[in-house]
Structure formats: structure tokens, C-alpha cells
Amino acid sequence: QVQLVESGGGLVQPGGSLRLSCAASGNIFSINDMGWYRQAPGKERELVATITKTATTNYADSVKGRFTIARDNAKNTVSLQMNSLKPEDTAVYYCNAYVRGATLILSNYWGQGTQVTVSS
């Protein structure tokens, strides 16, 4: 089994910054794509940013230029630096990873989510 544990959420004023972190642990042989998704109240979960093992990144249009995703392959971690935050960024943010365990089967895992609230 694999666990993804997020940290770093909280309350921030518009224009402020937050950094989310996610650490993967457990039965890990390798990790392919990692990413961040978010879900606002009454809305569907949406992609925020993804990053491949070789650090190719992809961002939702709504966060381009404001958010930066990064990963540390040695530590099995992924982070999301969020700058110039807007009230519409308020959501529960989820870490996601495609992981191969000892059996080499590729499985998808989600973290428990961390709340980000942007409000004055």
C-alpha cells in the first residue's frame, strides 16, 4: 500500500502565497506522474498541475504564471508553490501519484486533501 500525505494548507489573504507539500510512502518501486488537483464546494475535482518523472510540467490555464509544481524523486515528494492567490483558488487540494509497487503494477493514489482558503 502507498500513502500520500499533504501539508501546508491554510487561510491566506488575496495576493498571498502558500506552499503545499506531499510525501509518498509505503510500497514504492517507482513513481511516474505526480500532481495536484482541487475541488471547490459544489464543483467537480479539477486538475491544477502535474509533473512527470523527468520534470515536464502541465498547468491549468487558471493557475499558469502563479503556481509552480516541483518534485524530489529521491524523497518521493511533490510540492506546489502558490503565489498571487485569489479567492477563486479556495478549495480542498489533493495530491495524486501513479506508483509502481514491488509487483510493478501501476496504481493511482490520492492524498486525504488539504484545505486552502483565500479570503480577506
Side-chain angles (χ1 to χ4, degrees), residues 10 15-16 36-37 44 65 97 114 118:
W36 291 93
Y37 292 72
E44 293 188 354
T114 185
V118 184

Side-chain angles (χ1 to χ4, degrees), residues 64-91:
K64 282 180 181 177
R66 300 188 297 123
F67 291 10
T68 302
I69 189 170
R71 66 187 283 175
D72 185 328
N73 291 333
K75 297 181 179 179
N76 292 333
T77 60
V78 63
S79 64
L80 185 69
Q81 177 66 42
M82 305 185 293
N83 298 329
S84 302
L85 282 160
K86 304 175 181 180
E88 51 263 44
D89 294 317
T90 295

Side-chain angles (χ1 to χ4, degrees), residues 10-73:
L11 173 64
V12 64
Q13 292 187 342
S17 297
L18 278 177
R19 180 182 175 87
L20 305 182
S21 296
C22 173
S25 62
N27 180 17
I28 298 172
F29 177 79
S30 66
I31 303 179
N32 288 11
D33 290 6
M34 303 185 81
W36 291 93
Y37 292 72
R38 67 187 181 187
Q39 187 167 18
K43 294 188 177 182
E44 293 188 354
R45 191 172 297 189
E46 63 177 6
L47 179 147
V48 177
T50 61
I51 184 168
T52 68
K53 191 185 304 187
T54 54
T56 299
T57 58
N58 178 54
Y59 295 93
D61 287 343
S62 59
V63 307
K64 282 180 181 177
R66 300 188 297 123
F67 291 10
T68 302
I69 189 170
R71 66 187 283 175
D72 185 328
N73 291 333

